[in-house]
Amino acid sequence: MARTMTRRPVVKINLDATGDPRRRPDDLAAEEPLEIRVRQAPLAVTMRTPGQDIDLAMGFLLTEGIIGSADDVVTAQLCAGTDTPNTYNVVDVVLGAEVPPPVTDPSRNFYTTSSCGVCGKASIDAVRTRSQFDVAADPLTVAAGTLVELPDRLRAAQRTFDRTGGLHAAGLFTADGELVVMREDVGRHNAVDKVIGWALREGRLPLTGYLLLVSGRASFELTQKAWMAGLPLLAAVSAPSTLAAELADEAGMTLVGFLRGRSMNVYTSPQRITV
């Protein structure tokens, strides 16, 4: 069972209220390690919120270029690992016999925290050579009036955030603003991998004609993942980084930042946004 929250006592101090500090229960977003194994060999460890772990593993393998489709995976299952009692913090993936095993590069850091995913020059080089989808040719157009409504729709779907206030979200939308799937996680990159892993298992890749909205900033890692999934548009409620803008420009992807209230900044391929 997914352990998305943990309740623990806290001392509530409010200098604007009368009375002494009081003890009360508080809900915390769960953060636990997930080890991703390929053919029982450890590949990566990420700090994540438990839940949709198979999607997370599948999305990670796809966005890292280790697999190209769901057909590359024979089985993917949670297993016990070495924990006692079993916490189901290990996903073991068996690839098809014809799929090359992943080659771990010493320049790659496959331990990822909840605040930052895999990054660095090796990642940039890899995505430029491995991305199999031409998002520049995607004819998607989205009305600006539709885009500005999406953050509220994403926020309304964040049930665990309502209890904890400590989770990022990623949502896959249609051009008409329909929320197709939403995932929450302490790591923004994990939330995106969970969405992409779901789409991979559902046979929806490439995600032609869809857009991805993230609740935080638009980093290089998220732009890379969006490109690997064939997404033509990535939007964020906060700022993009320089590498995110450069990568989106190279890919022909539309990158939107500061999507708040009734305004936004369009950093690349603005022709997809209609006013």
Side-chain angles (χ1 to χ4, degrees), residues 61-215:
L61 294 177
L62 185 283
T63 58
E64 289 301 316
I66 295 168
I67 62 174
S69 71
D71 293 336
D72 292 338
V73 176
V74 177
T75 61
Q77 60 185 359
L78 285 162
C79 53
T82 58
D83 294 328
T84 304
N86 182 17
T87 56
Y88 292 101
N89 281 338
V90 176
V91 172
D92 186 60
V93 181
V94 176
L95 303 180
E98 73 287 354
V99 181
V103 178
T104 56
D105 185 337
S107 67
R108 297 291 300 277
N109 175 16
F110 273 109
Y111 169 79
T112 67
T113 68
S114 57
S115 60
C116 180
V118 177
C119 56
K121 187 176 186 299
S123 296
I124 300 173
D125 293 342
V127 76
R128 285 176 176 169
T129 57
R130 285 191 246 160
S131 183
Q132 58 183 314
F133 303 124
D134 180 14
V135 301
D138 195 310
L140 170 75
T141 59
V142 182
T146 298
L147 269 180
V148 297
E149 296 175 353
L150 301 190
D152 286 342
R153 294 180 187 177
L154 183 67
R155 176 66 183 82
Q158 289 187 258
R159 297 180 179 179
T160 307
F161 182 88
D162 288 338
R163 298 276 299 276
T164 66
L167 291 176
H168 291 283
L172 184 68
F173 289 87
T174 67
D176 294 330
E178 176 188 354
L179 178 60
V180 179
V181 65
M182 186 280 301
R183 293 291 182 259
E184 293 180 287
D185 200 278
V186 288
R188 60 174 62 89
H189 51 92
N190 291 333
V192 171
D193 276 340
K194 288 178 178 181
V195 167
I196 293 174
W198 172 87
L200 177 67
R201 291 195 303 106
E202 290 289 315
R204 294 178 180 245
L205 264 57
L207 288 169
T208 305
Y210 291 92
L211 64 99
L212 183 70
L213 173 64
V214 295
S215 60

